[in-house]
Amino acid sequence: MSHLESNPENPVRHDWSDEQIQAIHDLPFPELLFQAQLVHRRYHDPQKVQLCTLLSIKTGGCPEDCSYCPQSAYYDSGVPSQDLLDIEQVLAAARQARDHGSTRFCMGAAWREVRQGAEFERVLEMVRQVRELGMEVCCTLGMLNSDQAKRLAEAGLTAYNHNLDTGPDYYDQIITTRTYEDRLRTLEVVREAGVSVCCGGILGMGETVRDRIALLRVLSHMNPQPESVPINALVRVKGTPLGDRSPVDPIEIVRIIATARIVLPKSRVRLSAGRTEMSVETQALCFVAGANSIFSGEKLLTTPNPDLYHDRALLDKLGLSPLEGS
Ligand code: SAM
Ligand code: DTB
Ligand code: SF4
């Protein structure tokens, strides 16, 4: 506990060692949750949960080989491919998301990287128009160069999602078509363009606790730290190499969320994919541990998510309420 006690104010630290993070992670569970709550209350309203809605604007046929992903062209997951949507289709989905209480609209494309041209121009227009609805806008489009990041910033993009997924040592077991460094480079150009960074990982891919800790160390060393950190539990999709993994233990999910909350005190920690398989109790513990955002709506990108009715009941039962837009 010495590292916490020696920092009673819990300032944002960028020098956590793996050993220190591991010590937090391994605390007796009630103590871990208590420490996470202290930090959570210092920086966040513990009764508010931000609702974000995802839309896959271009689906399937992706040239990357991410072992978890149903959209990779390497695997036969049965997900139908879909070209880039029209602006009107996207706006209709964004309006509906806003009307259902989402304050952030996230558009995902199954691209390895963005290419200049008509499709990128269309995405920029989507960003402009969703922004005009008064929502935060996030995109996840694969790798970007600095010019593309600047153009997204000019279009009004709030945040760019680009996950590191796991620790650096395990990365090449999961993806071989790009490197951890490629990922870090895109995160840098996003930051330099003045766009908020959304960067997190996936639990349950066969990684060790050390790999999870290493991911949290990499995120915590970023300066500034990512404004939002999605923690996904692997959605096991048949046909992908990770389709028959065993589910991740719920207590392990809560431990990672609590640890993330402590080492990333100001970040919004988003309990992301995998909630359809989580009990109400597990999700409740995740909120207690400091998660303060979820994806809302019955679909993530290609896989199911709890519907609005269930999520409203979940938040009501716990006395939590959706964060309102600014
Ligand atoms: N192609 C872009 C990229 O990889 O950055 C954007 C879309 S990609 C689907 C966005 C993120 O979704 C991935 O980085 C990964 O973390 C997450 N993801 C994909 N498939 C998943 C699965 N089966 N379970 C949990 N998370 C998943
Ligand atoms: C993130 O970390 N999780 C979201 C969002 N960022 C883009 C995506 C989850 C995808 C789950 C699998 C699917 O629905 O295709
Ligand atoms: Fe493509 Fe992104 Fe899926 Fe990887 S995670 S296969 S880059 S869509």
Side-chain angles (χ1 to χ4, degrees), residues 21 212-221 256 259-260 263-264:
I21 300 176
R212 297 174 189 162
I213 301 288
L215 170 64
L216 294 183
R217 186 242 307 146
V218 171
L219 296 174
S220 71
H221 286 203
I256 288 297
T259 309
V263 301
L264 301 160

Side-chain angles (χ1 to χ4, degrees), residues 2-20:
S2 55
H3 39 279
L4 283 176
E5 280 159 12
S6 62
N7 286 286
E9 297 305 319
N10 255 115
V12 179
R13 278 182 51 184
H14 304 282
D15 60 352
W16 292 102
S17 67
D18 286 20
E19 292 68 30
Q20 289 172 330

Side-chain angles (χ1 to χ4, degrees), residues 68 202-205 232-236 242-243 245 248 273-274 277:
Y68 47 74
I202 306 178
L203 307 177
M205 304 188 293
N232 297 275
L234 175 70
V235 180
R236 296 162 299 144
L242 300 180
R245 285 265 156 203
V248 57
E277 291 197 43

Side-chain angles (χ1 to χ4, degrees), residues 100 296-298 305-316:
H100 288 146
S296 162
E298 61 193 23
N305 192 48
D307 64 25
L308 291 169
Y309 172 81
H310 281 94
D311 277 343
R312 196 151 305 151
L314 170 75
L315 295 185
D316 281 352

Side-chain angles (χ1 to χ4, degrees), residues 177-196:
T177 50
R178 60 165 188 257
T179 64
Y180 215 68
E181 284 64 41
D182 290 331
R183 260 352 226 187
L184 291 170
R185 207 167 306 123
T186 294
L187 290 164
E188 259 168 48
V189 301
V190 168
R191 176 60 77 201
E192 278 162 16
V195 172
S196 284

Side-chain angles (χ1 to χ4, degrees), residues 144-173:
L144 294 180
N145 63 35
S146 84
D147 181 56
Q148 293 161 341
K150 282 182 195 135
R151 295 207 59 209
L152 284 162
E154 280 159 19
L157 190 73
T158 312
Y160 195 77
N161 168 249
H162 202 63
N163 290 340
L164 286 167
D165 289 334
T166 189
D169 294 343
Y170 194 58
Y171 200 70
D172 63 4
Q173 304 287 305

Side-chain angles (χ1 to χ4, degrees), residues 18-269:
D18 286 20
E19 292 68 30
Q20 289 172 330
I21 300 176
Q22 180 91 46
I24 293 173
H25 175 275
D26 294 348
L27 283 170
F29 195 66
E31 184 62 25
L32 172 62
L33 291 197
F34 178 66
Q35 296 295 343
Q37 289 201 344
L38 287 178
V39 176
H40 191 49
R41 274 142 211 275
R42 195 158 297 141
Y43 293 102
H44 305 268
D45 178 345
Q47 292 175 21
K48 295 283 181 200
V49 176
Q50 184 184 33
L51 305 183
C52 308
T53 296
L54 279 166
L55 178 68
S56 182
I57 57 170
K58 186 272 169 191
T59 309
C62 183
E64 301 267 32
D65 69 353
C66 314
S67 307
Y68 47 74
C69 187
Q71 302 197 64
S72 167
Y74 283 79
Y75 322 122
D76 189 8
S77 66
V79 167
S81 293
Q82 163 77 60
D83 289 343
L84 186 64
L85 298 180
D86 294 330
I87 293 172
E88 272 315 314
Q89 293 172 286
V90 171
L91 279 181
R95 271 190 218 105
Q96 191 184 48
R98 183 192 60 183
D99 295 347
H100 288 146
S102 277
T103 58
R104 176 175 285 200
F105 191 67
C106 310
M107 299 182 272
W111 286 330
R112 172 176 158 76
E113 74 256 296
V114 166
R115 278 187 250 138
Q116 315 285 55
E119 294 205 323
F120 184 46
E121 299 303 318
R122 203 192 303 170
V123 172
L124 292 169
E125 193 52 31
M126 291 172 187
V127 171
R128 281 183 211 108
Q129 297 204 22
V130 176
R131 198 81 190 92
E132 276 174 24
L133 299 177
M135 302 181 85
E136 296 180 1
V137 189
C138 178
C139 280
T140 180
L141 313 169
M143 291 183 268
L144 294 180
N145 63 35
S146 84
D147 181 56
Q148 293 161 341
K150 282 182 195 135
R151 295 207 59 209
L152 284 162
E154 280 159 19
L157 190 73
T158 312
Y160 195 77
N161 168 249
H162 202 63
N163 290 340
L164 286 167
D165 289 334
T166 189
D169 294 343
Y170 194 58
Y171 200 70
D172 63 4
Q173 304 287 305
I174 298 298
I175 299 149
T176 69
T177 50
R178 60 165 188 257
T179 64
Y180 215 68
E181 284 64 41
D182 290 331
R183 260 352 226 187
L184 291 170
R185 207 167 306 123
T186 294
L187 290 164
E188 259 168 48
V189 301
V190 168
R191 176 60 77 201
E192 278 162 16
V195 172
S196 284
V197 170
C198 173
C199 181
I202 306 178
L203 307 177
M205 304 188 293
E207 76 285 349
T208 60
V209 170
R210 294 173 79 90
D211 295 314
R212 297 174 189 162
I213 301 288
L215 170 64
L216 294 183
R217 186 242 307 146
V218 171
L219 296 174
S220 71
H221 286 203
M222 291 177 181
N223 192 0
Q225 295 178 342
E227 283 77 5
S228 86
V229 176
I231 303 292
N232 297 275
L234 175 70
V235 180
R236 296 162 299 144
V237 181
K238 270 213 183 74
T240 64
L242 300 180
D244 53 13
R245 285 265 156 203
S246 34
V248 57
D249 180 290
I251 297 296
E252 291 193 25
I253 299 173
V254 181
R255 280 194 180 275
I256 288 297
I257 292 200
T259 309
R261 170 48 66 229
I262 293 168
V263 301
L264 301 160
K266 292 187 178 170
S267 306
R268 201 168 274 292
V269 175

